Amino acid sequence: MFKIKVRTDKKSYPVYLGQGIMESIGPVMSRCLPARPVLVVSDRNVAPHYAEKCLKSLQLGGFKPFLEVLEGGEEDKSLMAASGLYERLLKTGLDRHSAIVALGGGVIGDLAGFVAATYLRGVPYVQVPTTLLAMVDSSIGGKVAVNHPLGKNLIGAFYQPALVVGDVDALKTLPGRELNAGLAELVKYGIIRDKKLFEQLESLIQSVPPEDWLLKIDSRQLLKFIIRAVLIKGEIVYFDEKEKNLRRILNFGHTFGHALESATRYAYYLHGEAVACGMAMEARLAALQEILDRVSQQRIISLIKQLDLPRPPAGLSVNAVMKALSYDKKKEGEELIFVLPAGIGKVLMYKAPSSSLVEKVVEEYLRGDLF
Ligand SMILES: NC(=O)c1ccc[n+]([C@@H]2O[C@H](COP(=O)([O-])OP(=O)(O)OC[C@H]3O[C@@H](n4cnc5c(N)ncnc54)[C@H](O)[C@@H]3O)[C@@H](O)[C@H]2O)c1
């Protein structure tokens, strides 16, 4: 089992990563939290595989666990679902000396973390990520949120977990499409911060067809990639917990990615898929703006092409994507901000690129010319 310490100004916490460590959650948790009642929040795809294991282990660690299984999916990241959890916590009699365990992907982690941040002005919570995306990204760094009908993640807080326990073996039951979406997040870390990671992923992905890369990849190798990503995220969060500066580089791929998600009403792409398309588009924009050399642009786009992403949806217009871009919440005044690659392993913040070039990139993507 590997242990990585994530530090912020006011708090530091361990992230445990390994194979088959779900069985150890209880004993591991008892090193950070005294025995107490715990509400385990999960969803209907994850609970049948892992809830029993998790509950047994919590009992072994001296905790008194209760289980709440939600439907899952983005609709559950809502104030209504949060309210249901408050009710369950209150009715079960869980007080300030209790804790919450988020057993699931980013949806469960964001929701349960939000409830932990607000229930009785805050109770500790533990992230047990079961998707690749959640292991390398959403479980680390304390961004917790629910959606509002007017936009995603608009109601939330920065609230760090007490610990994170990521078991790579949990990825064995994850659907292939979800895995690829998580793999896109790993590629993102390579592009923004770690050329060696990018190159390792390049040789892995190009040698194995995307539909079965995880079956062929050695779990230990995957664990190494996850550890690398968590170290990078931890370092970024250490320098900029509240996303005032450095943490914004994690938004690489997100300006175009969010516009694609929003223009398709969050019903066509998985989040990681939209970000992956956004990364290819932002690499192309960087090359058009002469920030990125053509060879690096090609390498980034060809790696992303291997991720088996959905085709641009029929009927999605350039205008619809441009309109969605104009509502981007990362805008400063009227100006769009992009995180653009300046090489592999290096990105910069770029304000107000030429709107004709932005439109050209959207056209190329929608025509299928980009990849
Ligand atoms: N807080 C952050 O910093 C941050 C960062 C990135 C993304 N996010 C958020 O994360 C969410 C997306 O997270 P996600 O991609 O993990 O999606 P998710 O939580 O919806 O999980 C994806 C699907 O896989 C299923 N699943 C999860 N683990 C499984 C397993 N081991 N076996 C079988 N099925 C499993 C889930 O039930 C769900 O159907 C979005 O809401 C996004 O906004 C948050």
Side-chain angles (χ1 to χ4, degrees), residues 43 45-46 50 74 77 105-107 110 130-131 133 137-138 143 152-153 170 173-175 178 233 271:
D43 74 28
N45 297 324
V46 176
Y50 308 109
E74 203 61 37
K77 252 178 74 170
V107 162
D110 281 12
T130 61
T131 63
L133 180 139
D137 192 1
S138 62
K143 268 194 187 180
K152 264 193 78 170
N153 295 328
T173 55
L174 191 64
E178 299 287 348
K233 177 119 190 212
H271 175 71

Side-chain angles (χ1 to χ4, degrees), residues 66 70 118 221 274 320 338:
F66 301 88
L70 305 177
T118 45
Q221 177 63 56
F338 283 87

Side-chain angles (χ1 to χ4, degrees), residues 306-331:
Q306 301 292 319
L307 292 177
D308 204 21
L309 298 167
R311 304 300 308 150
L316 179 60
S317 69
V318 175
N319 277 350
V321 179
M322 293 303 288
K323 191 168 167 209
L325 271 175
S326 73
Y327 291 125
D328 191 276
K329 67 178 176 208
K330 295 179 291 304
K331 268 170 81 172

Side-chain angles (χ1 to χ4, degrees), residues 177-194:
R177 193 176 163 197
E178 299 287 348
L179 274 170
N180 274 331
L183 187 57
E185 294 285 341
L186 278 178
V187 171
K188 183 182 85 178
Y189 285 108
I191 299 169
I192 64 174
R193 209 78 175 155
D194 189 338

Side-chain angles (χ1 to χ4, degrees), residues 48-319:
H49 296 292
Y50 308 109
E52 201 185 323
K53 218 181 264 183
C54 179
L55 295 186
K56 271 195 186 146
S57 174
L58 285 168
Q59 277 165 345
L60 205 67
F63 296 92
K64 189 178 173 199
F66 301 88
L67 176 67
E68 181 72 23
V69 179
L70 305 177
E71 188 59 25
E74 203 61 37
E75 298 72 38
D76 262 343
K77 252 178 74 170
S78 65
L79 282 170
M80 206 159 84
S83 173
L85 288 179
Y86 298 136
E87 197 168 322
R88 174 72 204 268
L89 286 158
L90 288 166
K91 286 189 172 159
T92 314
L94 296 194
D95 63 14
R96 285 195 153 159
H97 304 287
S98 57
I100 294 176
V101 170
L103 173 65
V107 162
I108 292 296
D110 281 12
L111 169 72
F114 175 78
V115 168
T118 45
Y119 182 63
L120 304 179
R121 298 197 178 84
V123 293
Y125 76 111
V126 175
Q127 291 272 18
V128 185
T130 61
T131 63
L132 184 51
L133 180 139
M135 273 180 212
V136 299
D137 192 1
S138 62
S139 66
I140 318 286
K143 268 194 187 180
V144 297
V146 293
N147 301 326
H148 185 275
L150 293 182
K152 264 193 78 170
N153 295 328
L154 294 182
I155 318 292
F158 287 96
Y159 190 66
Q160 303 294 338
L163 79 152
V164 181
V165 182
D167 184 348
V168 192
D169 282 353
L171 301 180
K172 288 184 179 149
T173 55
L174 191 64
R177 193 176 163 197
E178 299 287 348
L179 274 170
N180 274 331
L183 187 57
E185 294 285 341
L186 278 178
V187 171
K188 183 182 85 178
Y189 285 108
I191 299 169
I192 64 174
R193 209 78 175 155
D194 189 338
K195 188 170 182 184
K196 195 168 154 211
L197 174 64
F198 180 90
E199 285 170 348
Q200 287 168 339
L201 289 166
E202 214 174 26
S203 52
L204 167 78
I205 295 173
Q206 281 163 2
S207 64
V208 179
E211 58 279 10
D212 60 8
W213 69 270
L214 196 83
L215 298 176
K216 301 238 172 85
I217 184 186
D218 175 26
S219 291
R220 273 181 311 172
Q221 177 63 56
L222 180 61
L223 185 58
K224 279 189 194 158
F225 289 144
I226 295 172
I227 291 171
R228 189 66 209 123
V230 170
L231 284 168
I232 296 172
K233 177 119 190 212
E235 183 199 18
I236 292 172
V237 168
Y238 170 70
F239 285 115
D240 180 22
E241 182 186 1
K242 303 273 169 73
E243 202 173 313
K244 297 207 167 87
N245 205 341
L246 179 68
R247 192 166 176 170
R248 296 200 292 173
I249 70 171
L250 292 167
N251 291 329
F252 172 52
H254 283 62
T255 307
F256 279 126
H258 277 158
L260 293 177
E261 280 184 291
S262 147
T264 51
R265 296 171 193 270
Y266 300 94
Y268 184 74
Y269 301 92
L270 297 179
H271 175 71
E273 291 171 343
V275 169
C277 297
M279 291 194 295
M281 293 165 86
E282 286 168 22
R284 174 73 178 135
L285 181 62
L288 290 173
Q289 291 281 353
E290 297 180 356
I291 294 167
L292 181 68
D293 64 276
R294 297 285 161 148
V295 175
S296 302
Q297 176 215 280
Q298 253 342 94
R299 281 178 74 188
I300 292 174
I301 293 179
S302 21
L303 182 54
I304 291 169
K305 193 175 167 183
Q306 301 292 319
L307 292 177
D308 204 21
L309 298 167
R311 304 300 308 150
L316 179 60
S317 69
V318 175
N319 277 350

Side-chain angles (χ1 to χ4, degrees), residues 27-49:
V28 164
M29 225 171 106
S30 67
R31 293 181 207 159
C32 305
L33 291 172
R36 55 180 75 202
V38 169
L39 184 69
V40 177
V41 183
S42 192
D43 74 28
R44 71 185 174 98
N45 297 324
V46 176
H49 296 292

